[in-house]
Amino acid sequence: MNCLDCRRQLLVDPQRLSPEVQAHVTACVACQQYVLRAQEQDRQLLDALSVPVPERLADRILLRQRLQQRRHWQWPAIAAVVMLSAGVLTWQLPNSSPVSSHNLAELAAQHVLAEPAALHKEDVVAADTLSTALADWNTKLAGSLGILRYVDRCNMTTGKGLHVVFDGPAGRATLIVPPRDTPVGERQFIGADVAAEVIMIGSQPVSIVASNAEQLPMLRRAVSTALAAL
Amino acid sequence: MSNQQQAFELAVRTWHSELFRYAYWLCRRHSDADDIVQEALLRAWRNWASVRELQALKRWLFVIVRREFLRRVGNRLPVLESDEVLQELPAPGLHPDDALALHDALAQLPATLREALVLQVLGGFSCEEIADMLQTSEGAVTTRVSRARQWLRRLYASTESTGPYQRSQTHELP
């Protein structure tokens, strides 16, 4: 192997040196330097390729996976009646609808907990930004929510929703507008450090999320005043 | 927690960063990469029972991310057809420590070259593994990573006399 062949192979993969390359490099000082430079470049390349990863990405993925799994397990809670009649086997569903575990308020609360960075934003977001975003849900800003700190479309279990953090009359709070056609289910959720409630703006459900249940009534009034159907 | 759930969580926590970065260098948008990785890993979970070899798990996850990206772009990844595209790209002087400029340079690489390089440097895959993942030949992969490195090296300004960037007086280095 000569230097040219050695360096051609190093262009392909400086980290995996074939026995022939290793043998050549051992004997060739110039190529030793070349290997060191090539490997250093790959380290720089790795640094450049290592772009920042969104906060709590793994947590959000696992949360979505667990929520989807829970809905999958709980849905088939259907009582079935087997009728045997003249040798024919039939299934008869009961009159009541299947039990649903869907709780939009709880989903909103979990989304807020999965994205804690949003609650600590100190940016000031223009009202126009929220107005524009709300239009996708046939909703508008009819008044002031307070100082807007964060407005972003987020992945939620059933699609893209809207995540809004604001400083309202009851302190910092969150508004979650769920993906379109998300069933509402239960309308309230009280957790250890979080409380959420679903209110209707026209036909559009929105979830208000606060750090405790005492803040919900004031928050409900503020949001009901600030938002209106288009 | 079931064994499958445990294994999935471990895989997500171990590789979510690399998978996100791979997705980012495919689509070059943080928000899209976030979506792609989430959907890809949820898809992986739905097919978790099909995982047979743990050694191939990382490769499998990268392939699922790639498929999710291709699904979003209509299964069209630009194919490099000639060297002309590479030679037309600007090659300003670049200091080896200029990470931001290197980031921009990587963004300018043709997609097929960048993808192979990302899988090798970021993913740590061999050319043989990359060929299998991209459903192409090992020769094609070695060509792509070589060309990518050649082009990036042209960007570097070097004053070293024995550095790999200096053109030899007797013959041109590859």
Side-chain angles (χ1 to χ4, degrees):
Chain A
M1 171 172 284
N2 59 31
C3 293
L4 199 60
D5 291 335
C6 176
R7 297 181 189 193
R8 279 202 178 109
Q9 288 200 26
L10 287 169
L11 265 182
V12 172
D13 194 343
Q15 308 300 333
R16 287 184 178 85
L17 306 186
S18 67
E20 294 79 14
V21 167
Q22 284 180 359
H24 176 86
V25 165
T26 303
C28 175
V29 173
C31 285
Q32 282 174 18
Q33 295 295 317
Y34 191 96
V35 166
L36 292 174
R37 296 271 180 215
Q39 291 178 341
E40 175 58 26
Q41 281 168 48
D42 261 30
R43 275 189 285 276
Q44 290 164 357
L45 209 49
L46 182 58
D47 281 345
L49 290 171
S50 299
V51 296
V53 177
E55 259 187 68
R56 304 196 66 172
L57 176 59
D59 290 339
R60 286 188 280 118
I61 292 167
L62 292 171
L63 180 62
R64 277 186 72 185
Q65 179 259 335
R66 285 193 216 111
L67 287 174
Q68 281 188 359
Q69 193 169 349
R70 192 175 66 177
R71 272 205 299 280
H72 174 73
W73 285 341
Q74 291 182 339
W75 191 85
I78 299 172
V81 176
V82 177
M83 289 174 55
L84 284 170
S85 172
V88 174
L89 184 69
T90 60
W91 291 88
Q92 181 176 3
L93 296 177
N95 292 328
S96 59
S97 54
V99 172
S100 170
S101 65
H102 207 97
N103 183 332
L104 192 55
E106 183 179 1
L107 288 175
Q110 287 175 342
H111 184 86
V112 169
L113 292 174
E115 298 195 357
L119 274 174
H120 300 293
K121 295 285 187 186
E122 292 301 323
D123 306 324
V124 177
V125 179
D128 283 348
T129 303
L130 179 56
S131 272
T132 304
L134 284 171
D136 288 347
W137 282 270
N138 294 321
T139 306
K140 66 180 180 183
L141 255 187
S144 173
L145 260 184
I147 301 174
L148 300 174
R149 297 294 186 184
Y150 178 81
V151 176
D152 199 12
R153 286 176 174 80
C154 289
N155 288 315
M156 298 181 187
T157 54
T158 52
K160 283 281 193 191
L162 188 63
H163 184 160
V164 182
V165 176
F166 61 100
D167 291 339
R172 187 153 293 191
T174 305
L175 177 73
I176 298 288
V177 185
R180 286 173 171 275
D181 302 324
T182 303
V184 176
E186 298 294 320
R187 295 189 178 214
Q188 200 175 68
F189 173 79
I190 308 292
D193 297 310
V194 68
E197 185 179 300
V198 178
I199 62 176
M200 300 302 292
I201 307 296
S203 60
Q204 177 64 49
V206 301
S207 298
I208 51 176
V209 186
S211 55
N212 58 71
E214 286 70 36
Q215 294 175 349
L216 289 178
M218 200 180 304
L219 205 51
R220 186 193 312 131
R221 280 193 294 276
V223 172
S224 298
T225 306
L227 302 188
L230 267 178
Chain B
M1 192 186 297
S2 70
N3 288 340
Q4 275 196 359
Q5 180 69 37
Q6 273 184 328
F8 179 73
E9 291 197 10
L10 183 60
V12 169
R13 295 206 182 277
T14 304
W15 290 313
H16 73 280
S17 295
E18 285 180 52
L19 292 168
F20 172 83
R21 287 164 177 154
Y22 175 51
Y24 171 81
W25 284 107
L26 285 174
C27 65
R28 284 184 286 135
R29 286 171 59 94
H30 280 88
S31 56
D32 288 352
D34 194 315
D35 290 350
I36 287 168
V37 169
Q38 287 202 45
E39 290 305 320
L41 283 169
L42 290 175
R43 193 175 292 272
W45 169 249
R46 290 194 286 274
N47 293 283
W48 200 254
S50 68
V51 174
R52 292 284 176 263
E53 299 173 22
L54 287 180
Q55 285 177 339
L57 177 57
K58 181 179 173 182
R59 199 163 65 207
W60 182 65
L61 293 175
F62 269 75
V63 168
I64 294 179
V65 166
R66 185 176 196 264
R67 284 184 189 151
E68 184 60 33
F69 163 72
L70 288 177
R71 194 176 291 114
R72 287 166 186 253
V73 296
N75 292 305
R76 282 175 292 108
L77 191 66
V79 176
L80 180 68
E81 297 196 353
S82 73
D83 283 340
E84 288 176 7
V85 174
L86 259 183
Q87 289 166 8
E88 284 167 12
L89 290 170
L94 176 69
H95 193 277
D97 292 334
D98 193 340
L100 190 58
L102 183 52
H103 176 282
D104 291 345
L106 283 163
Q108 292 180 55
L109 263 179
T112 49
L113 304 195
R114 183 174 58 244
E115 185 182 18
L117 193 66
V118 168
L119 285 170
Q120 187 186 63
V121 176
L122 188 69
F125 298 109
S126 67
C127 288
E128 183 185 358
E129 288 172 316
I130 296 169
D132 183 52
M133 293 161 74
L134 303 185
Q135 296 186 306
T136 186
S137 68
E138 192 173 341
V141 173
T142 59
T143 299
R144 291 176 195 178
V145 292
S146 294
R147 285 184 181 175
R149 282 200 173 84
Q150 271 181 310
W151 186 75
L152 287 169
R153 286 181 184 186
R154 281 168 49 201
L155 300 182
Y156 282 92
S158 171
T159 57
E160 295 283 342
S161 59
T162 56
Y165 315 112
Q166 206 70 9
R167 290 185 185 278
S168 164
Q169 288 181 348
T170 56
H171 57 258
E172 274 202 15
L173 293 168

